[in-house]
Amino acid sequence: MAEALPELIEIGLLLYPEVQQAAIHGLGDLILIADRLRAEDQPAGPALRLSHWQADAAGAVRRVFDSHPGRPGRPAALILPPSLAAPISPEAAAPLARWLTARHGDGAVLCSVCAGAFLLAETGLLDGRPATTHWNYHDHFASRFPAIRVDTARLLIDDGDLMTAGGVMSWTDLGLALIARLLGPALMVRTARFLLIDPPGREQRAYSLFVPRLDHGDAAILKVQHWLQATGAREVRLPDLAARAGLEERTFLRRFRKATGLRPVEYCQHLRITRARERLERSADTVDRIAWEAGYEDPASFRKLFQRITGLTPAAYRERFGVGAGPA
């Protein structure tokens, strides 16, 4: 009597133009390792099937790699890996987006990593829903897809049938989240431990940098921005900022927010916290001293603001990102 074939749960990777090959190979390794560990713990349980999908010259998307060739089935999840090139154009995305929409209609969970979110967004399935991408793409993504609630502070957003991950290397978080969903959290943790990577739960805002908008074309606001950068945004008062811009206060507030996307107080906070992050990374100074030098006389208020902006306490931030240095 022939041995019964195991049930298969297929995870497919879409090889769209300029896709990052390192992520393709890394995700494949993660999936195959998870399945190997599954076979040790749950030999009678469903096995993971890894497939690669790619459009041919005629535009038809087909399997180009299959870990279990010849078996029928369709992907339970499809991953759009990151790209190191510019985000895919609407024209190049259109045929792939139609195919993805059909697979979503068949019940597949659609997942993106980093710039892969641009391809997923072209399906229209993310409209009105939360999504993340790389923090550096925030403005581009938000302007191209205004109906999507983009949140690049988060590294991973699991919205049921749609999952998005932020940074280039967040394929590890997405892959583990899929393993937890498909085969259970215990196997996910075992896979993470085997690969020496953190289980999902990190936040992208700890890694993102504050990059002020300087190309908005408002010369008066740009003048103020340059002054704030040069002075470290210390001891700033609204009347002084408005006077430096040569504007009435209400006009200054309106134009500043339009140009930078932030209120002046928020902008100054981000500048100060950026300076503090640099000191935490490169010096051994106490947190209290760094807070004072950043313009905060109350260390407790500084710690609270630092954690709100970065998602980490100053001590945890230094532990993760500090490169080691002697006292200033």
Side-chain angles (χ1 to χ4, degrees), residues 2 8 30 41 45 62 84 110 116 132 143 153 163 171 185 189 252 275 311:
L8 296 178
L30 187 151
D41 292 347
R62 306 181 185 280
L84 296 182
L110 302 186
T132 189
S143 63
M163 299 174 68
W171 58 262
V189 171
F252 170 76
R275 295 282 179 94

Side-chain angles (χ1 to χ4, degrees), residues 184-267:
L187 184 61
M188 179 273 289
V189 171
R190 188 177 177 200
T191 303
R193 184 178 295 119
F194 182 89
L195 292 170
L196 298 181
I197 55 179
D198 292 334
R202 298 180 296 155
E203 290 189 331
Q204 190 169 189
R205 55 182 169 165
Y207 301 85
S208 64
L209 301 175
F210 175 55
V211 182
R213 298 179 188 173
L214 302 173
D215 58 352
H216 45 71
D218 191 327
I221 300 303
L222 183 60
K223 178 182 177 182
V224 172
Q225 288 178 272
H226 286 163
W227 180 77
L228 289 172
Q229 192 73 43
T231 60
R234 293 173 59 94
E235 300 179 4
V236 174
R237 297 174 60 251
L238 177 58
D240 297 335
L241 296 178
R244 186 168 292 274
L247 299 171
E248 186 268 337
E249 288 185 21
R250 291 181 60 184
T251 303
F252 170 76
L253 285 171
R254 175 178 55 79
R255 285 173 55 175
F256 190 94
R257 186 157 193 172
K258 180 181 179 182
T260 68
L262 298 168
R263 293 180 294 120
V265 64
E266 295 169 331
Y267 189 94

Side-chain angles (χ1 to χ4, degrees), residues 26-55:
L27 279 164
D29 289 345
L30 187 151
I31 292 165
L32 294 177
I33 287 171
D35 190 57
R36 185 188 308 160
L37 297 174
R38 183 276 316 163
E40 296 175 3
D41 292 347
Q42 311 163 23
L48 290 178
R49 177 183 193 175
L50 172 65
S51 59
H52 294 176
W53 297 77
Q54 191 170 27

Side-chain angles (χ1 to χ4, degrees), residues 117-328:
F118 285 81
L119 175 52
L120 180 55
E122 288 291 343
T123 66
L125 296 169
L126 281 172
D127 288 358
R129 300 176 65 173
T132 189
T133 184
H134 193 287
W135 59 266
N136 196 44
Y137 288 137
H138 180 280
D139 293 348
H140 184 184
F141 191 85
S143 63
R144 183 165 158 183
F145 305 106
I148 298 174
R149 305 201 311 270
V150 59
D151 182 1
T152 53
R154 298 169 66 182
L155 195 66
L156 178 68
I157 295 179
D158 184 345
D159 202 32
D161 55 324
L162 302 173
M163 299 174 68
T164 54
V168 178
M169 292 299 296
S170 61
W171 58 262
T172 61
D173 300 82
L174 177 67
L176 290 173
L178 274 178
I179 297 304
R181 174 184 290 201
L182 299 175
L183 296 179
L187 184 61
M188 179 273 289
V189 171
R190 188 177 177 200
T191 303
R193 184 178 295 119
F194 182 89
L195 292 170
L196 298 181
I197 55 179
D198 292 334
R202 298 180 296 155
E203 290 189 331
Q204 190 169 189
R205 55 182 169 165
Y207 301 85
S208 64
L209 301 175
F210 175 55
V211 182
R213 298 179 188 173
L214 302 173
D215 58 352
H216 45 71
D218 191 327
I221 300 303
L222 183 60
K223 178 182 177 182
V224 172
Q225 288 178 272
H226 286 163
W227 180 77
L228 289 172
Q229 192 73 43
T231 60
R234 293 173 59 94
E235 300 179 4
V236 174
R237 297 174 60 251
L238 177 58
D240 297 335
L241 296 178
R244 186 168 292 274
L247 299 171
E248 186 268 337
E249 288 185 21
R250 291 181 60 184
T251 303
F252 170 76
L253 285 171
R254 175 178 55 79
R255 285 173 55 175
F256 190 94
R257 186 157 193 172
K258 180 181 179 182
T260 68
L262 298 168
R263 293 180 294 120
V265 64
E266 295 169 331
Y267 189 94
C268 292
Q269 287 172 344
H270 278 282
L271 282 180
R272 292 172 181 171
I273 294 302
T274 296
R275 295 282 179 94
R277 289 169 69 154
E278 293 172 353
R279 295 299 302 277
L280 287 166
E281 292 168 10
R282 300 183 180 278
S283 82
D285 291 343
T286 66
V287 173
D288 286 5
R289 178 174 177 178
I290 291 173
W292 180 82
E293 291 182 349
Y296 293 95
E297 296 182 359
D298 181 2
S301 296
F302 167 76
R303 286 180 168 85
K304 183 177 180 180
L305 177 64
F306 189 96
Q307 185 164 7
R308 178 167 64 81
I309 289 178
T310 69
L312 297 172
T313 65
Y317 184 90
R318 169 174 273 162
E319 182 178 356
R320 178 172 295 185
F321 297 105
V323 296

